[in-house]
Amino acid sequence: MKRRVFSGARPTGRQHLGNYLGAIQNYVALQDEYQCIYCIVDIHALTSLEDTSQLQENIHEMVLDWLAAGLDPKKSILFVQSHVPEVMELHTLLGMTTPLGWLLRVPTFKEKVKLQPHNVNYGLVGYPVLMTADIVLYKAEVVPVGEDQLPHLELAREIVRRFNNIFGDTFPEPQAKLTPFPMVLGLDGKEKMSKQLDNHIELALSPEETLERVMTAVTDPARRYRHDPGHPEVCNIYRLQQYFNEFKSGGIAEQCRRAQIGCVECKELLADAINTMLQPFRQRRAAIAAEPQYVTDVLADGARRARLIARRTLKEVKQRMGLI
Ligand code: AMP
Ligand code: TRP
């Protein structure tokens, strides 16, 4: 039997370059070697969402991106978290062996408390327990994620170790798998690229919109005039050049250092390269979007397949915990 991969992402709608370079690239690459399970974590989203009116649309837009990027429902299971409610049962059970102190120390919990002081809900504390339940419900061994998720993965491993110690070997310890771009910075050049911070570039933008977004990016702050020599190693646009203009990027860096190329020109080169690389993705996306029933069918089939595995694991867990 193939070893399992699991990953989840919150239904934030259209995916951005950070999602793609940090995670989706690996989701696609792992599909042949592993049995891959990819989940849209709508319950996790509720820990931060007060207005849920966009939720269904966001799920749909996200699946369009995943499919267009190359996730293949014939190979992988794609599903929505709440469609396999067994995960919430496992979450409750894992909650009984997870010390509260571990959860209160998680850096993302502390960040959320600062970000949404008016909504420090119980679900936020349990966020990493639910995430662990996601992974171990499928006994997944490999978890492709961006760097921001590493503290969660570390905690998942501790939760697994503790559970296995108390009730006997049940779950494998999941390992994170990073891409060469595990932390893509946003257009501000400071924070990680994210929709919430509006410093992102969506994959599904038109070529014109892509150019417009790239033009707003902050570059090397020391380069104030066209004739100032640049420092590509501190420039976020240059980091993206290394991916999208891989073969030209050495030359671009040299020209930047000698002030032979300006930031505007450099950004135009980048936007061109992004648009060229994403053209097939955008075509596929438009074709899939024309058949909304297809997305519904993919998710229904994914939930059915995921549930078969989930039920088996949950039964084993209940037996080990003495519930049956
Ligand atoms: P999210 O949209 O925050 O639920 O993230 C979905 C996946 O994309 C997770 O594996 C994240 O770690 C990854 N990701 C999100 N933003 C970035 C970023 N700026 N750079 C690298 N990976 C990211
Ligand atoms: N916490 C992840 C994020 O914010 C989403 C997620 C939920 C996840 N469950 C998961 C990622 C399981 C990997 C494995 O992006």
Side-chain angles (χ1 to χ4, degrees):
M1 203 178 73
K2 280 185 179 172
R3 292 161 69 206
R4 292 211 183 101
V5 162
F6 183 97
S7 196
R10 289 167 308 124
T12 46
R14 290 182 177 195
Q15 301 287 279
H16 53 68
L17 290 182
N19 296 131
Y20 182 74
L21 297 181
I24 300 172
Q25 267 201 85
N26 265 346
Y27 299 176
V28 176
L30 293 166
Q31 289 183 109
D32 289 314
E33 201 184 327
Y34 294 88
Q35 175 176 32
C36 294
I37 306 177
Y38 298 122
C39 179
I40 295 167
V41 294
D42 54 348
I43 307 289
H44 274 109
L46 297 181
T47 59
S48 297
L49 277 189
E50 282 157 81
D51 173 10
T52 57
S53 57
Q54 303 293 311
L55 199 51
Q56 294 310 312
E57 192 184 325
N58 283 348
I59 292 172
H60 185 77
E61 292 290 323
M62 201 162 148
V63 182
L64 290 180
D65 281 337
W66 280 9
L67 293 170
L71 292 194
D72 180 352
K74 289 199 196 76
K75 295 183 192 158
S76 304
I77 297 179
L78 311 185
F79 77 105
V80 176
Q81 189 179 33
S82 66
H83 296 180
V84 181
E86 282 77 5
V87 75
M88 292 181 261
E89 238 177 303
L90 184 57
H91 165 247
T92 302
L93 297 177
L94 291 179
M96 306 308 168
T97 55
T98 305
L100 183 59
W102 290 4
L103 300 174
L104 299 177
R105 276 198 296 274
V106 175
T108 45
F109 173 67
K110 293 187 192 162
E111 274 163 33
K112 289 284 179 184
V113 171
K114 276 194 205 134
L115 263 164
Q116 49 186 72
H118 56 288
N119 183 19
V120 183
N121 56 71
Y122 173 59
L124 273 182
V125 187
Y127 188 107
V129 185
L130 182 58
M131 183 162 158
T132 307
D134 279 330
I135 300 167
V136 303
L137 191 54
Y138 305 97
K139 301 201 177 189
E141 294 173 59
V142 178
V143 183
V145 280
E147 192 177 274
D148 60 318
Q149 294 302 313
L150 290 181
H152 285 152
L153 253 287
E154 198 40 59
L155 188 56
R157 292 157 61 79
E158 284 175 40
I159 294 174
V160 162
R161 278 199 286 271
R162 191 172 162 98
F163 186 95
N164 287 348
N165 267 336
I166 301 173
F167 296 110
D169 254 355
T170 312
F171 306 119
E173 275 181 40
Q175 306 279 346
K177 176 145 181 85
L178 299 181
T179 69
F181 290 83
M183 164 65 158
V184 178
L185 289 183
L187 293 169
D188 51 14
K190 279 195 248 143
E191 312 262 8
K192 78 164 183 176
M193 184 176 283
S194 92
K195 182 168 173 159
Q196 213 172 359
L197 298 171
D198 193 27
N199 63 1
H200 62 307
I201 301 175
E202 289 174 354
L203 302 170
L205 292 181
S206 69
E208 298 72 32
E209 290 167 331
T210 305
L211 177 63
E212 220 173 276
R213 287 299 272 180
V214 171
M215 283 299 166
T216 66
V218 173
T219 52
D220 170 10
R223 194 171 185 200
R224 295 183 31 219
Y225 301 102
R226 171 71 179 75
H227 59 263
D228 290 338
H231 306 85
E233 58 287 349
V234 301
C235 177
N236 192 31
I237 288 295
Y238 179 65
R239 284 192 203 104
L240 293 173
Q241 297 283 23
Q242 287 176 308
Y243 180 81
F244 289 100
N245 263 322
E246 192 186 347
F247 300 109
K248 286 194 208 152
S249 66
I252 294 173
E254 217 26 59
Q255 287 178 311
C256 170
R257 279 191 200 100
R258 295 185 187 164
Q260 288 166 345
I261 184 176
C263 293
V264 170
E265 208 183 322
C266 177
K267 287 175 177 177
E268 282 165 355
L269 281 174
L270 176 66
D272 271 353
I274 294 176
N275 288 329
T276 305
M277 202 178 278
L278 289 182
Q279 199 214 354
F281 162 89
R282 288 169 179 167
Q283 268 174 353
R284 278 195 299 273
R285 194 184 197 281
I288 304 164
E291 286 183 73
Q293 187 58 39
Y294 174 66
V295 172
T296 311
D297 293 346
V298 163
L299 293 179
D301 185 55
R304 186 188 56 77
R305 286 155 69 200
R307 211 159 179 195
L308 293 175
I309 309 171
R311 287 199 171 134
R312 228 179 296 141
T313 310
L314 193 60
K315 187 169 174 208
E316 183 190 343
V317 169
K318 285 183 175 172
Q319 273 163 348
R320 286 193 184 271
M321 295 183 91
L323 292 169
I324 44 179

